[in-house]
Amino acid sequence: MSNDSKTPSNAAGVKHKGEAKTARIPIKIVPLEEKLKKPDWIRVQAPTSGSRFYEIKDILRSQKLHTVCEEATCPNIGECFGKGTATFMIMGDICTRRCPFCDVGHGRPNPLDPQEPQNLGETVAALKLNYVVVTSVDRDDLRDGGAQHFVECISKIRELSPKTQIEVLVPDFRGRLEIALELFGNALPDVMNHNLETAPRLYLQARPGSDYLHSLKLLKDFKAMYPHVKTKSGIMVGLGETDEEVLQVMRDMREHDIDMLTIGQYLQPSNGHLPVLRYVHPDKFKEWETQAYEMGFLHAAVGAMVRSSYFADQQAHGAGVTAE
């Protein structure tokens, strides 16, 4: 958030995080009297000396690029940056939604940077990435929800780094779905990813402004239009969902032709975010993984530290995504 006390809180470019972000969501956050103790199987790998962690950060800053790894405080950032991989976040670092599980800032976004597709393409080429994930904040202020900007980024990566496979993790384009999906026909990704995040019962609390059935429709309609492109979605556990609700979400995904699945443990970014209501044991994750393949998912990444784009290249390979 801006340090200038004279800057209006709703001015473009002012970023609200934590309690300042979640103060106006429909259901208020009620902290636990005593936080759950983090179990032994939750392990975060810190950056190691000699890794590419700081090199990646320097390149991102020089190209004025953002990553969801940094903005959403992903626990795997040290491991992924250290291996030279990152999930790029386009269209700025300010989201028009206030999801209280997410650490990305909320506010009025700045205008799109017309140089961002070029900068992104140059960065992907310079890093010689075999696989790249491109995601974004929600941009409800844009007529197409930012779909055209995604297309321009995909096109520029294809031009400057033609051997790189591209996964996009898109917002829901709510109210703009038909426009958005038609635009993607101009530059298709190798994987179309959109996260359901949680069970529908928890949407008002955890994902205000979003709609469960709409998100499912996005992926099913995309698959119907572009059947050769793999589709993917993911959820977090620990927000209050039941085991049966997890299984029902998985069934819903398969009924909507979703090919790939991720399930990971929710971790609270700050006291201003939703609390963790349970830590799921590794045995339960393994059970869900087995059930996912029984349901027909081509690939399932299921585990406490799994995130939507964690080892996304390996997930895609496991689902049969190959370079053209």
Side-chain angles (χ1 to χ4, degrees):
M1 186 173 175
S2 173
N3 294 322
D4 185 353
S5 60
K6 296 181 181 179
T7 302
S9 62
N10 64 345
V14 176
K15 182 164 56 175
H16 303 274
K17 301 197 72 168
E19 293 180 5
K21 167 185 171 178
T22 60
R24 295 177 60 187
I25 61 174
I27 297 179
K28 298 305 176 186
I29 294 173
V30 180
L32 299 179
E33 291 186 5
E34 185 176 349
K35 282 187 177 182
L36 299 182
K37 183 180 178 181
K38 197 174 291 185
D40 293 340
W41 59 80
I42 301 294
R43 287 282 183 266
V44 176
Q45 183 169 320
T48 57
S49 59
S51 76
R52 299 187 67 190
F53 181 83
Y54 298 105
E55 176 193 355
I56 297 291
K57 287 180 74 73
D58 289 344
I59 291 173
L60 293 169
R61 297 296 80 78
S62 67
Q63 291 282 32
K64 300 179 181 179
L65 294 172
H66 301 282
T67 65
V68 74
C69 322
E70 296 171 291
E71 297 300 329
T73 321
C74 179
N76 301 316
I77 186 171
E79 183 176 2
C80 292
F81 273 27
K83 292 179 178 178
T85 63
T87 298
F88 296 96
M89 190 169 76
I90 60 175
M91 298 193 282
D93 60 348
I94 297 178
C95 187
T96 55
R97 307 262 178 106
R98 298 175 182 267
C99 297
F101 65 82
C102 178
D103 204 28
V104 174
H106 165 80
R108 276 184 58 200
N110 289 311
L112 295 178
D113 178 1
Q115 292 302 311
E116 186 170 54
Q118 180 72 29
N119 293 341
L120 177 59
E122 290 177 356
T123 300
V124 170
L127 292 173
K128 299 179 180 178
L129 299 178
N130 295 319
Y131 195 97
V132 64
V133 181
V134 181
T135 189
S136 78
V137 292
D138 276 286
R139 289 299 300 257
D140 296 316
D141 57 313
L142 301 176
R143 187 183 71 85
D144 64 356
Q148 179 59 38
H149 199 73
F150 264 104
V151 167
E152 291 171 5
C153 287
I154 294 171
S155 297
K156 190 55 68 170
I157 294 171
R158 297 277 190 225
E159 175 189 338
L160 299 178
S161 187
K163 294 183 179 180
T164 300
Q165 291 181 289
I166 303 170
E167 176 177 326
V168 293
L169 173 56
V170 300
D172 62 15
F173 303 118
R174 194 172 180 190
R176 307 159 178 84
L177 185 55
E178 185 175 338
I179 295 172
L181 294 188
E182 287 182 0
L183 285 171
F184 272 100
N186 297 318
L188 287 170
D190 297 289
V191 175
M192 167 62 85
N193 187 354
H194 172 65
N195 285 333
L196 295 179
E197 306 292 10
T198 188
R201 177 177 60 85
L202 299 175
Y203 260 50
L204 186 61
Q205 175 181 351
R207 206 177 169 213
S210 302
D211 180 88
Y212 180 75
L213 293 178
H214 171 85
S215 286
L216 284 169
K217 177 177 170 57
L218 184 161
L219 288 162
K220 186 170 186 175
D221 287 359
F222 183 92
K223 191 69 170 181
M225 295 175 71
Y226 314 110
H228 64 288
V229 179
K230 296 293 190 294
T231 52
K232 177 179 173 181
S233 190
I235 61 171
M236 306 164 290
V237 290
L239 290 170
E241 72 296 321
T242 65
D243 290 352
E244 176 54 35
E245 284 178 318
V246 172
L247 290 174
Q248 187 57 54
V249 170
M250 293 164 64
R251 295 185 197 106
D252 291 343
M253 287 183 184
R254 289 300 301 131
E255 289 175 3
H256 288 76
D257 301 323
I258 295 170
D259 300 307
M260 303 164 65
L261 166 71
T262 60
I263 304 177
Q265 172 68 54
Y266 168 66
L267 299 175
Q268 185 183 32
S270 78
N271 290 334
H273 291 79
L274 292 171
V276 178
L277 298 183
R278 68 163 170 166
Y279 286 104
V280 175
H281 192 275
D283 290 347
K284 176 56 68 173
F285 282 116
K286 187 63 180 177
E287 182 181 323
W288 286 331
E289 180 183 16
T290 299
Q291 291 168 315
Y293 285 112
E294 290 173 352
M295 291 181 189
F297 284 100
L298 297 179
H299 191 272
V302 184
M305 300 309 293
V306 166
R307 296 298 180 266
S308 185
S309 53
Y310 185 50
F311 288 143
D313 55 341
Q314 296 180 22
Q315 295 174 33
H317 180 73
V321 177
T322 57
E324 295 183 1

